[in-house]
Amino acid sequence: MPTLAEVAPALVEAGQRMDVHGWVGGSAGNLSARLDDETIAITRSGVHKGRLKETDIIEVRLDGSPVEQGVKPSAETLLHCQLYRLFPPVGAVLHGHSVAATVLSITAPEILFSGYEVVKAFGYTTHETDVALPVYDNDQDIARLAGVIEPQLQLTPPIGYAIRGHGVYAWGTGVEHAYWRLEALEFLLDCELERRRIK
Amino acid sequence: MPTLAEVAPALVEAGQRMDVHGWVGGSAGNLSARLDDETIAITRSGVHKGRLKETDIIEVRLDGSPVEQGVKPSAETLLHCQLYRLFPPVGAVLHGHSVAATVLSITAPEILFSGYEVVKAFGYTTHETDVALPVYDNDQDIARLAGVIEPQLQLTPPIGYAIRGHGVYAWGTGVEHAYWRLEALEFLLDCELERRRIK
Amino acid sequence: MPTLAEVAPALVEAGQRMDVHGWVGGSAGNLSARLDDETIAITRSGVHKGRLKETDIIEVRLDGSPVEQGVKPSAETLLHCQLYRLFPPVGAVLHGHSVAATVLSITAPEILFSGYEVVKAFGYTTHETDVALPVYDNDQDIARLAGVIEPQLQLTPPIGYAIRGHGVYAWGTGVEHAYWRLEALEFLLDCELERRRIK
Amino acid sequence: MPTLAEVAPALVEAGQRMDVHGWVGGSAGNLSARLDDETIAITRSGVHKGRLKETDIIEVRLDGSPVEQGVKPSAETLLHCQLYRLFPPVGAVLHGHSVAATVLSITAPEILFSGYEVVKAFGYTTHETDVALPVYDNDQDIARLAGVIEPQLQLTPPIGYAIRGHGVYAWGTGVEHAYWRLEALEFLLDCELERRRIK
């Protein structure tokens, strides 16, 4: 299993790539990677995710508590922990705020991707499928929000999910894989937004 | 308190980041930071803010007059000075011209952000709030414009403000913080513009 | 005729340029160049085309089979091979997934470029011409898709073609020329999408 | 007056900056600078303007003929020469193909900028003015096109001009100044396009 020193550079770079796309404006977003069965590495609160230093990545237990005293993990750490807890293959989780995800999740009651080759990035073998992206109402009580999300995660693991007016969560077996799936998800959201523009 | 030599590199870099977003096209925009109770550092007139040299940052008193003879501060220096004068915690002010701010301020009588997680960048604790961005009519008489703005700044300090057909002003405790708030503000403006596109 | 060592750096760089435009999100897209009458160099499957290493470029025969055992060429290799087989001057083929190509090919029954100076990039001597971009229904059976495309390629060689909900194929005498034509094609698609936005 | 060795690096860099904005896709666009009363430096035909080498900049007389035998200047050289001939202060001319200029010039009979602070980049002292951007029908006979443009250039020198379905011409006292004015012009075109999107 990877050490903090091994995953930190990958998370720093993923943050830079997300920043180029405009998904981590201000101090938005958070990024994490699994270290072992009990701990993950996650970005700390109050830093710009496009200019992370490796020291901005801290260790947190799967219950959300920091391993070292005095460091403050991201407010949304519990949503990361939930994914690692439920899905052993998940090695990294990325959360960003894109304009497309924010606007679509506010204006559309649901988001459905239909007819896109790019869904194959999520393991589908054909474009001839309809893929839903769940949208959950935003909630500042993250534990409560996690509770709302958990049944669907367990019942029908989605390709990612959106929080209304907030952004998306994407994940993968490692940081690079999670980043690819985030790119694919944002590409699909850009396409959907575009389709609504030209109607 | 910081010296000119300390804030100049931060302003140069903030200009580069604003340029990547397209907020300082031509010689648009101006950037400043507080030096002490009486003086600020601000970009001089007639330079490209995406390619500032440290010598393009000059010292100006809070009444808008340059400390050294023969240098010409930005025409909008008084709007910067006003913010430093009214709000002691303000350590930096950034002004840029984005397409979103320009078009929204021309076409919308007022700009209201509703339901956005990103308003938390401005100290709000929840997305369940409506946040207004004041829009003032553009005026080439900057002293007169400052006089129009001042009552609202004193009565209800906003998260920033827009000048119609012109751009936005954002501020923070230092250059990095001001830049984060500018990114958050432009993100919200992009979202609002997008919502109007798809209606 | 060029060697793999000669074309690989050009393909790596073309992938980087495509990535800057957002045409190879996730592990999308594939890039190739002709080596000789019987073999081509093409990107292998499952890598990010914006961060190719030269070892990600493999040799494939014109029937789609890899020269070396144990490497997996892109699933769409046959579409590349078809172009090299039919058109001796073709020296490189680029395939990417852009938002514009994806959305236009889904929403428009056909794509026609009319009145654009940029069509001169494809050898037309005047903007006073209508240039069609064929759109084919996506098909996960690539051999069958190639069969559908072949008659039109032979009858009226187009400037490129789109696959519905998927992306575009562009080609040229070499990697640089193919990239120019891809840029011109995506520019035209961006213009067409824009025209539909403002109607 | 500047030498070719002095202006070439500035033109190379201006091409790179135009490329970042997407204004010189394929081998589109051309860039020039005045050398003396009789000659200019201009990009040669058939090169990518975002990756110019200094040897891609050649000397041309004001009648459009190359100083050295065997080099081929841009097809639109005469439009550059016209501006240098008519306006002695003009030191550089930049021509690019943007999506905004292409689409607006095709869909709008005329382009008028009204209420924009950014018009001050062109010497206007207030935003309270209406500034027209002339649009000319595209013509592959550049000498004839120049003849159509000349009367208006002489009568009412505009801030630049657009050629329908093709792009814009911008100019300034030197390469940097011309680039600023091009950025300001494209900003205004982006704003106008956006206003048409949200109506």
Side-chain angles (χ1 to χ4, degrees):
Chain A
M1 288 198 174
T3 65
L4 178 61
E6 284 164 359
V7 302
L11 291 172
V12 167
E13 192 187 38
Q16 291 164 347
R17 293 165 86 180
M18 291 172 72
D19 190 29
V20 169
H21 289 285
W23 301 334
V24 291
S27 64
N30 33 69
L31 301 78
S32 69
R34 189 194 293 272
L35 295 177
D36 56 40
D37 293 346
E38 287 164 25
T39 51
I40 64 169
I42 191 164
T43 45
R44 68 182 179 87
S45 192
V47 291
H48 196 291
K49 306 312 179 299
R51 344 189 96 208
L52 290 168
K53 294 187 291 283
E54 294 189 16
T55 51
D56 295 327
I57 320 283
I58 61 175
E59 289 186 67
V60 168
R61 294 186 200 90
L62 280 192
D63 64 2
S65 64
V67 170
E68 281 192 42
Q69 298 294 327
V71 293
K72 192 186 164 200
S74 160
E76 292 166 37
T77 295
L78 284 180
L79 296 179
H80 291 250
C81 293
Q82 179 178 45
L83 289 160
Y84 293 110
R85 184 167 42 75
L86 293 178
F87 304 118
V90 169
V93 177
L94 302 176
H95 165 57
H97 299 186
S98 69
V99 169
T102 301
V103 171
L104 273 179
S105 64
I106 286 181
T107 57
E110 62 172 12
I111 300 172
L112 192 74
F113 304 123
S114 184
Y116 292 108
E117 173 75 9
V118 167
V119 297
K120 289 169 65 185
F122 299 98
Y124 294 92
T125 55
T126 175
H127 61 283
E128 295 177 290
T129 184
D130 291 347
V131 180
L133 183 74
V135 182
Y136 298 102
D137 284 338
N138 198 6
D139 190 336
Q140 297 305 321
D141 183 332
I142 298 296
R144 187 169 57 193
L145 177 55
V148 170
I149 294 171
E150 186 130 340
Q152 181 172 355
L153 283 179
Q154 289 182 295
L155 200 63
T156 317
I159 61 171
Y161 62 80
I163 305 176
R164 203 174 309 284
H166 184 155
V168 296
Y169 274 79
W171 51 86
T173 54
V175 176
E176 186 70 14
H177 186 228
Y179 179 77
W180 291 9
R181 287 175 53 131
L182 177 62
E183 270 198 349
L185 187 51
E186 292 287 356
F187 180 87
L188 290 167
L189 289 165
D190 280 341
C191 288
E192 278 302 298
L193 197 56
E194 198 60 64
R195 287 172 81 162
R196 282 161 173 81
R197 278 180 192 140
I198 61 178
K199 262 174 194 165
Chain B
M1 290 199 172
T3 65
L4 178 60
E6 284 164 0
V7 301
L11 291 172
V12 167
E13 192 189 39
Q16 292 164 347
R17 294 165 85 180
M18 291 171 71
D19 190 29
V20 169
H21 289 285
W23 300 335
V24 292
S27 63
N30 34 68
L31 301 79
S32 68
R34 190 194 292 272
L35 295 177
D36 56 40
D37 293 346
E38 286 163 25
T39 52
I40 65 169
I42 191 165
T43 45
R44 69 182 177 86
S45 191
V47 291
H48 196 291
K49 307 312 179 301
R51 343 190 97 207
L52 290 168
K53 294 188 291 283
E54 294 190 18
T55 50
D56 295 327
I57 319 284
I58 61 175
E59 290 186 66
V60 169
R61 294 185 199 90
L62 279 191
D63 64 2
S65 64
V67 170
E68 280 191 43
Q69 298 294 327
V71 293
K72 192 186 166 200
S74 159
E76 292 165 38
T77 294
L78 284 179
L79 296 178
H80 291 249
C81 292
Q82 180 179 42
L83 289 160
Y84 293 110
R85 186 168 41 75
L86 293 178
F87 305 117
V90 170
V93 177
L94 302 176
H95 165 57
H97 298 186
S98 70
V99 169
T102 301
V103 171
L104 273 179
S105 64
I106 285 181
T107 56
E110 63 172 11
I111 300 171
L112 193 73
F113 303 123
S114 184
Y116 291 108
E117 173 76 8
V118 167
V119 297
K120 289 169 64 185
F122 300 98
Y124 293 92
T125 55
T126 175
H127 62 282
E128 296 178 289
T129 183
D130 292 346
V131 179
L133 182 75
V135 182
Y136 298 102
D137 286 337
N138 198 6
D139 190 336
Q140 297 305 322
D141 182 334
I142 298 296
R144 187 169 58 194
L145 177 54
V148 170
I149 294 171
E150 185 130 342
Q152 180 172 354
L153 283 180
Q154 290 182 295
L155 200 63
T156 318
I159 61 171
Y161 62 80
I163 305 177
R164 202 173 310 283
H166 184 155
V168 296
Y169 274 79
W171 51 86
T173 54
V175 176
E176 186 70 13
H177 186 229
Y179 180 77
W180 291 9
R181 288 176 53 132
L182 177 63
E183 269 197 350
L185 188 51
E186 292 288 355
F187 180 88
L188 290 166
L189 289 165
D190 280 342
C191 287
E192 279 303 298
L193 197 55
E194 198 61 63
R195 287 173 80 162
R196 282 162 174 81
R197 279 180 191 140
I198 61 178
K199 263 175 194 165
Chain C
M1 288 197 174
T3 64
L4 178 61
E6 284 164 359
V7 303
L11 290 172
V12 168
E13 191 187 39
Q16 291 164 347
R17 294 165 85 180
M18 290 171 72
D19 190 30
V20 168
H21 288 285
W23 300 334
V24 291
S27 63
N30 34 66
L31 301 79
S32 69
R34 190 194 292 274
L35 295 176
D36 56 40
D37 293 346
E38 287 164 24
T39 51
I40 64 169
I42 191 165
T43 46
R44 69 182 177 87
S45 192
V47 292
H48 196 291
K49 308 311 179 302
R51 343 189 97 208
L52 290 168
K53 294 188 290 285
E54 295 191 16
T55 51
D56 295 327
I57 320 282
I58 61 175
E59 289 187 68
V60 168
R61 294 185 200 90
L62 279 192
D63 64 2
S65 63
V67 170
E68 282 191 42
Q69 298 294 327
V71 294
K72 192 185 165 200
S74 160
E76 291 167 38
T77 295
L78 283 180
L79 296 179
H80 291 250
C81 292
Q82 179 178 45
L83 289 161
Y84 293 111
R85 183 167 43 75
L86 293 178
F87 305 117
V90 169
V93 177
L94 302 175
H95 164 58
H97 298 186
S98 69
V99 170
T102 301
V103 171
L104 273 179
S105 65
I106 286 180
T107 56
E110 62 171 13
I111 300 172
L112 193 73
F113 304 123
S114 184
Y116 292 109
E117 174 74 9
V118 167
V119 297
K120 290 169 64 185
F122 299 97
Y124 294 91
T125 56
T126 175
H127 61 284
E128 295 177 291
T129 184
D130 292 348
V131 179
L133 182 74
V135 182
Y136 299 102
D137 285 338
N138 198 6
D139 190 336
Q140 297 304 323
D141 182 333
I142 298 295
R144 188 169 57 194
L145 177 55
V148 170
I149 294 171
E150 185 129 342
Q152 181 172 354
L153 282 180
Q154 289 181 295
L155 200 64
T156 317
I159 61 171
Y161 62 81
I163 305 177
R164 204 175 308 284
H166 184 153
V168 296
Y169 274 79
W171 50 86
T173 54
V175 176
E176 185 71 14
H177 186 229
Y179 179 76
W180 291 9
R181 287 175 54 131
L182 177 62
E183 269 198 351
L185 188 51
E186 292 287 356
F187 180 88
L188 290 167
L189 289 166
D190 280 342
C191 288
E192 278 303 298
L193 197 56
E194 198 61 65
R195 286 173 80 161
R196 282 162 173 81
R197 279 181 192 138
I198 61 178
K199 262 175 195 166
Chain D
M1 289 197 172
T3 65
L4 178 60
E6 284 164 358
V7 302
L11 291 172
V12 168
E13 191 188 38
Q16 291 164 347
R17 294 165 85 179
M18 291 171 71
D19 190 30
V20 169
H21 289 284
W23 300 335
V24 292
S27 64
N30 34 67
L31 301 79
S32 69
R34 189 193 292 273
L35 295 177
D36 56 41
D37 293 346
E38 287 165 24
T39 53
I40 64 170
I42 191 164
T43 46
R44 69 183 176 86
S45 192
V47 291
H48 196 291
K49 308 311 180 301
R51 345 189 94 205
L52 290 167
K53 294 188 291 285
E54 295 191 16
T55 50
D56 295 327
I57 319 284
I58 61 175
E59 290 186 67
V60 168
R61 294 186 200 91
L62 280 192
D63 64 3
S65 63
V67 169
E68 281 191 43
Q69 297 294 327
V71 292
K72 191 184 165 202
S74 159
E76 291 165 38
T77 295
L78 283 180
L79 296 179
H80 290 249
C81 292
Q82 179 179 44
L83 289 160
Y84 293 111
R85 186 169 41 75
L86 292 178
F87 305 117
V90 170
V93 177
L94 302 176
H95 165 56
H97 299 186
S98 69
V99 169
T102 301
V103 171
L104 273 179
S105 64
I106 285 180
T107 56
E110 63 170 13
I111 300 172
L112 193 72
F113 303 123
S114 184
Y116 292 108
E117 174 75 8
V118 167
V119 297
K120 289 169 65 185
F122 300 98
Y124 293 92
T125 55
T126 175
H127 61 283
E128 297 178 289
T129 183
D130 292 347
V131 179
L133 182 74
V135 181
Y136 298 103
D137 285 339
N138 198 7
D139 190 336
Q140 297 304 322
D141 182 333
I142 298 295
R144 187 169 57 194
L145 177 55
V148 169
I149 294 171
E150 184 129 343
Q152 181 172 355
L153 282 180
Q154 290 182 295
L155 200 63
T156 318
I159 62 171
Y161 63 79
I163 305 177
R164 202 173 310 282
H166 184 154
V168 296
Y169 274 79
W171 51 85
T173 54
V175 176
E176 185 71 13
H177 186 229
Y179 180 77
W180 291 9
R181 288 176 54 132
L182 177 62
E183 270 198 349
L185 187 52
E186 292 287 356
F187 180 87
L188 290 166
L189 289 166
D190 280 342
C191 288
E192 278 303 299
L193 198 56
E194 198 61 64
R195 288 173 79 161
R196 282 163 175 81
R197 280 181 191 138
I198 62 178
K199 263 175 194 168

